Amino acid sequence: MMSIPEHDTPRHILEISGTQRRKFLQGLVSNDVNRLDEGMVYAALLTPQGKYLCDFLLVEEDGVILLDAPAPLAPALFQRLGMYKLRSDVTLTPSQRALARGLGDVPAGAYADPRDPALGWRAYDGRDSEDHDWTALRVAQCIPEAGIELTPDSYLLESRFEALNGVDFRKGCYVGQEVTARMKHKTELRKGLRRVALTGHAPIGTPLLNDSGKEAGTLYSQADGHAIAYLRFDRATGPLRAGDAVITP
């Protein structure tokens, strides 16, 4: 497995260099890598069955693509990318860079987070992060997080990747593309992540039950009287319970 640098951070950065760096990623990830010409790109790597493996942000600096991934998923992601590389003119290098984040106007040398303007900016040049309640910001905008809302059972469209600018339906083939395209064009989403009102508190992962006692979803991140929940839409038609907490879709 590729060695990952040891530093106390929730994110790890991979540097992807070489003449085929864009072509390499273009055939693997859910978004159009050529959007790097416009700024930061949000994307995911999927299984062939269209399920979530890892999400990340990409930006290109001086001929090198920086891949910003959740630290717990980074070792397996980096290893998988190394398996896909084969004979491509691509070099994968774990970076010592660390992520900095902030809100408001995007300063020089930083990049607007493409998922939602409320998430502010990201930078990789050694500056300090601003101190904010990032969980509350995620909940307010219904932004899923790896290891919480995003799990190996997640599908991109149920996880709001289209709304978060994380998937492109015109770029052509990538791993898991057929399943994602079928969900977009041939089916109606019956389940998915939604922001809900919350009274009380319950542990992440608590099942949501409707008035009939049927399971209608799962409760996830919570902040300021709201939460992110995964809902089965046909059953989430009224107040729901998660333990002692009450949820209003």
Side-chain angles (χ1 to χ4, degrees), residues 207-227:
L208 301 177
L209 303 179
N210 63 19
D211 288 341
S212 300
K214 293 182 178 180
E215 190 166 326
T218 307
L219 184 67
Y220 290 112
S221 300
Q222 304 154 52
D224 300 333
H226 289 87

Side-chain angles (χ1 to χ4, degrees), residues 174-233:
Y174 57 90
V175 179
Q177 181 264 342
E178 290 186 9
V179 174
T180 305
R182 190 180 311 125
M183 292 182 71
K184 167 69 173 176
H185 298 295
K186 296 186 178 180
T187 64
E188 180 181 354
L189 287 182
R190 299 179 180 179
K191 304 175 184 178
L193 295 177
R194 293 292 185 272
R195 180 174 178 264
V196 297
L198 173 71
T199 302
H201 174 82
I204 287 174
T206 301
L208 301 177
L209 303 179
N210 63 19
D211 288 341
S212 300
K214 293 182 178 180
E215 190 166 326
T218 307
L219 184 67
Y220 290 112
S221 300
Q222 304 154 52
D224 300 333
H226 289 87
I228 299 175
Y230 180 78
L231 300 179
R232 177 171 168 172
F233 302 138

Side-chain angles (χ1 to χ4, degrees), residues 15-62:
E15 297 181 4
I16 305 174
S17 57
T19 61
Q20 295 180 302
R21 60 190 181 277
R22 286 199 184 187
K23 180 180 179 181
F24 167 68
L25 288 174
Q26 187 77 325
L28 295 177
V29 308
S30 62
N31 212 338
D32 185 356
V33 177
N34 291 319
R35 291 182 179 179
L36 287 169
D37 291 333
E38 304 164 12
M40 182 169 276
V41 172
Y42 181 51
L45 183 67
L46 308 179
T47 68
Q49 295 75 34
K51 291 191 175 183
Y52 172 87
L53 282 173
C54 187
D55 64 320
F56 37 81
L57 292 116
L58 303 167
V59 70
E60 193 165 41
E61 293 185 351
D62 300 323

Side-chain angles (χ1 to χ4, degrees), residues 157-174:
L157 299 192
E158 292 181 350
S159 303
R160 302 192 68 248
F161 267 67
E162 185 173 10
L164 299 175
N165 304 307
V167 58
D168 188 285
F169 294 101
R170 297 174 296 179
K171 60 165 283 185
C173 294
Y174 57 90

